[in-house]
Amino acid sequence: MSDALVFLVTGCASGIGKHLAGAITRRGHQLVATDVNSAGLEAAAKEGGWGERAVLHPLDVRDEQAWEAALRKALERFGKVDVLLNVAGYLKPGYSHQLDAAEVDRHFDINAKGVVHGVRVLGRHFVAQKKGQIINIGSLASLTPVPGLCLYSASKYAVRGFTLAAAQELKPHGVKVTLVMPDAVQTPMLDLQVNYDEAAMTFSGPRPLTVEELEHAILDVALPKAPLELALPFGRGALARLSTFLPAAVVGLAPLFTRRGLKKQAALKGKGS
């Protein structure tokens, strides 16, 4: 198809990235699907039937040289890149006074520095060709601090700050930048949080978003309209933004949401037993 785009997407072995990879190829676009988990990436491609529209490439987002190699791979295979989707992320619940030092590095290296390296490398390419689009996946935790997920929240705050600044820097060069900030999404990252009381706030919403809802938000809204920010769902996003203006009020509401989340966690544990 003449209007087919070339996407470079991270975190394609599972979760949101895996679903987006399939959606992109089904919609007739071309894809460089990347993940640090090469075996998982191959299995996802086979399961999803990504076909010849997709090329698989191992990528550790923490490695700037690996980003350069991924870009070369895209240009060799497709001759261009139109869109960068920074999806890869990491989360392990934990309270601030109990954190392992390695987890500090892992959260910031993957969630924040991984996004920065991707924008650095693809941003230079997009500036040179005078067009391109970058969509970074943040979180509602980019807007409001989440007790029990302090490292994840802090790293996603960093993603938001960097994305908003980069959007202003790249706009004069014809490069569009959007930050998508979803609430909890039904993925393996959500499943792993069920058994952590620290993650109770994650389960405090009415229901988790589906990967199909993320597909719509990213490919049908963020891609064509290029808003600066997109928070999902609207109601929870508006509530999360309160922390900017009324942080004390949000802190006061936290115990209520924690109790609600713990009840839902208990129910989910019961279903799994």
Side-chain angles (χ1 to χ4, degrees):
M1 55 188 295
S2 59
D3 57 349
L5 300 172
V6 176
F7 289 75
L8 195 160
V9 185
T10 66
C12 292
S14 66
I16 297 170
K18 176 181 176 181
H19 180 80
L20 284 175
I24 286 166
T25 55
R26 287 193 300 273
R27 291 175 181 229
H29 300 297
Q30 295 169 316
L31 169 70
V32 179
T34 73
D35 202 285
V36 69
N37 180 358
S38 297
L41 185 61
E42 292 177 4
K46 184 176 181 179
E47 177 187 338
W50 300 348
E52 294 183 357
R53 292 189 178 277
V55 58
L56 311 184
H57 187 77
L59 171 63
D60 184 339
V61 297
R62 298 168 291 185
D63 183 349
E64 61 178 307
Q65 296 304 316
W67 273 104
E68 297 283 2
L71 175 58
R72 287 196 299 272
K73 183 77 170 185
L75 297 177
E76 289 169 3
R77 177 63 182 270
F78 300 118
K80 66 171 184 172
V81 181
D82 298 296
V83 183
L84 167 64
L85 290 183
N86 271 314
V87 180
Y90 176 78
L91 183 155
K92 184 176 181 181
Y95 297 121
S96 56
H97 60 292
Q98 298 173 337
L99 296 174
D100 181 82
E103 289 299 331
V104 177
D105 291 338
R106 194 169 289 119
H107 278 82
F108 283 96
D109 286 349
I110 295 172
N111 294 346
K113 291 169 66 176
V115 168
V116 171
H117 285 315
V119 173
R120 285 178 57 247
V121 173
L122 273 296
R124 284 197 298 266
H125 176 71
F126 290 156
V127 167
Q129 68 183 17
K130 296 182 174 58
K131 63 177 180 178
Q133 189 163 0
I134 297 169
I135 301 174
N136 294 334
I137 305 302
S139 166
L140 289 191
S142 303
L143 292 169
T144 189
V146 183
L149 302 181
C150 56
L151 283 179
Y152 182 77
S153 185
S155 66
K156 290 298 187 177
Y157 259 73
V159 168
R160 182 170 184 249
F162 177 77
T163 301
L164 296 183
Q168 297 173 69
E169 296 164 356
L170 293 171
K171 184 177 180 179
H173 300 281
V175 182
K176 304 172 185 176
V177 181
T178 295
L179 178 65
V180 176
M181 299 176 290
D183 198 359
V185 183
Q186 189 59 62
T187 64
M189 181 181 283
L190 181 63
D191 294 338
L192 72 82
Q193 298 178 66
V194 170
N195 293 313
Y196 287 89
D197 287 350
E198 302 97 310
M201 193 77 77
T202 301
F203 299 89
S204 63
R207 65 170 179 83
L209 296 166
T210 65
V211 288
E212 289 79 12
E213 286 173 306
L214 265 291
E215 174 191 344
H216 171 69
I218 293 167
L219 298 183
D220 297 325
V221 180
L223 186 66
K225 298 181 180 179
L228 183 60
E229 291 186 323
L230 183 61
L232 309 165
F234 177 80
R236 290 270 285 183
L239 183 62
R241 289 188 187 277
L242 273 178
S243 64
T244 302
F245 307 104
L246 299 169
V250 173
V251 170
L253 289 171
L256 170 65
F257 286 104
T258 297
R259 289 193 296 271
R260 182 184 297 173
L262 285 170
K263 288 181 181 179
K264 291 191 176 182
Q265 279 180 303
L268 289 170
K269 291 175 187 176
K271 291 180 179 179
S273 62

